[in-house]
């Protein structure tokens, strides 16, 4: 994938920012604007402890629910069983583009889980993986209607996840070392 595929604003954030925190803080809202989404959040996790949190969330407006966790929390033991999207992420499968939670294959999306936990209608479940492990999930979404994710959307997500996966590892490892 060439750098020309990424819009300039994203390329600049990814090349100019010096720390994972600086990249993520700037990237999440910029990605929301570039993809014209209702909300984007970034879930980061330690694959060794199965602890995670959502330190970055952008919403187009306050009508959309915020997803944010200040504290690291243990992932529920049943999460991979309840949520097929998360199970796929744990297997480090490619990112998943869900056009309509209501009509998606139940083997891919647990409609009831998504409605209860997130409330979105369409989403990208972008997996941040390194060394065969899941370090995070980047999740742009739409609330009020289905959405067909375009080739542009898919290319942007592929390029962004490739570039930020090492930063997710650095972020999590930095937190672990600081404790």
């Amino acid at each position: 994938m060439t750098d020309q595929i990424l819009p300039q604003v994203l390329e600049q954030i990814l090349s100019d920012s010096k720390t994972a925190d600086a990249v993520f803080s700037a990237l999440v809202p910029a990605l929301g604007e570039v993809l014209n989404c209702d909300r984007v959040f970034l879930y980061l996790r330690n694959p060794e402890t199965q602890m995670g949190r959502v330190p970055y969330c952008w919403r187009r407006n306050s009508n959309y629910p915020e997803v944010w966790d200040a504290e690291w929390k243990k992932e529920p033991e049943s999460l991979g069983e309840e949520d097929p999207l998360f199970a796929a992420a744990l297997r480090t499968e490619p990112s998943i583009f869900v056009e309509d939670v209501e009509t998606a294959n139940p083997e891919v999306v647990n409609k009831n889980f998504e409605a209860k936990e997130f409330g979105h209608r369409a989403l990208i479940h972008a997996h941040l993986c390194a060394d065969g492990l899941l370090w995070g999930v980047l999740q742009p979404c739409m609330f009020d209607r289905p959405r067909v994710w375009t080739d542009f959307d898919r290319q942007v997500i592929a390029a962004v996840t490739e570039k930020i996966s090492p930063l997710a590892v650095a972020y999590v490892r930095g937190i672990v070392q600081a404790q």
Side-chain angles (χ1 to χ4, degrees):
M1 172 150 305
T2 62
D3 289 339
Q4 288 81 14
I5 290 174
L6 273 179
Q8 181 62 34
V9 64
L10 298 180
E11 188 60 49
Q12 188 166 350
I13 290 166
L14 292 166
S15 61
D16 291 353
S17 300
K18 302 298 182 222
T19 66
D21 179 63
V23 170
F24 298 151
S25 294
L27 179 71
V28 168
L31 189 61
E33 294 293 342
V34 165
L35 295 179
N36 193 26
C37 292
D38 295 332
R39 179 180 70 199
V40 178
F41 70 82
L42 177 59
Y43 174 71
L44 295 167
R45 70 186 297 272
N46 183 332
E48 295 164 5
T49 63
Q50 289 82 50
M51 301 280 287
R53 70 181 202 154
V54 180
Y56 306 95
C57 180
W58 170 87
R59 302 174 295 159
R60 180 161 303 286
N61 62 52
S62 61
N63 294 335
Y64 303 115
E66 186 170 37
V67 177
W68 187 79
D69 290 316
E71 303 297 322
W72 290 86
K73 296 178 184 162
K74 183 80 170 158
E75 295 166 351
E77 293 284 330
S78 61
L79 186 56
E81 296 165 18
E82 283 183 88
D83 183 1
L85 291 169
F86 196 73
L90 288 171
R91 293 189 301 268
T92 68
E93 293 179 4
S95 297
I96 299 170
F97 296 77
V98 178
E99 296 181 352
D100 189 350
V101 168
E102 295 292 317
T103 61
N105 180 336
E107 292 178 12
V108 176
V109 177
N110 178 338
K111 178 173 83 169
N112 294 332
F113 177 85
E114 294 299 320
K116 182 179 91 171
E117 296 296 324
F118 301 107
H120 45 226
R121 182 72 186 266
L123 70 136
I124 302 171
H125 204 264
H127 308 156
L128 306 181
C129 303
D131 303 320
L133 298 170
L134 177 66
W135 294 86
V137 176
L138 180 65
Q139 192 170 109
C141 70
M142 304 298 294
F143 278 88
D144 302 322
R145 64 192 182 285
R147 173 164 173 175
V148 174
W149 301 104
T150 66
D151 285 341
F152 171 78
D153 300 332
R154 293 168 188 272
Q155 291 171 354
V156 166
I157 290 297
V160 166
T161 56
E162 180 181 325
K163 289 178 181 264
I164 69 169
S165 289
L167 294 174
V169 175
Y171 179 95
V172 171
R173 287 193 173 142
I175 296 294
V176 169
Q177 289 174 352
Q179 293 176 340

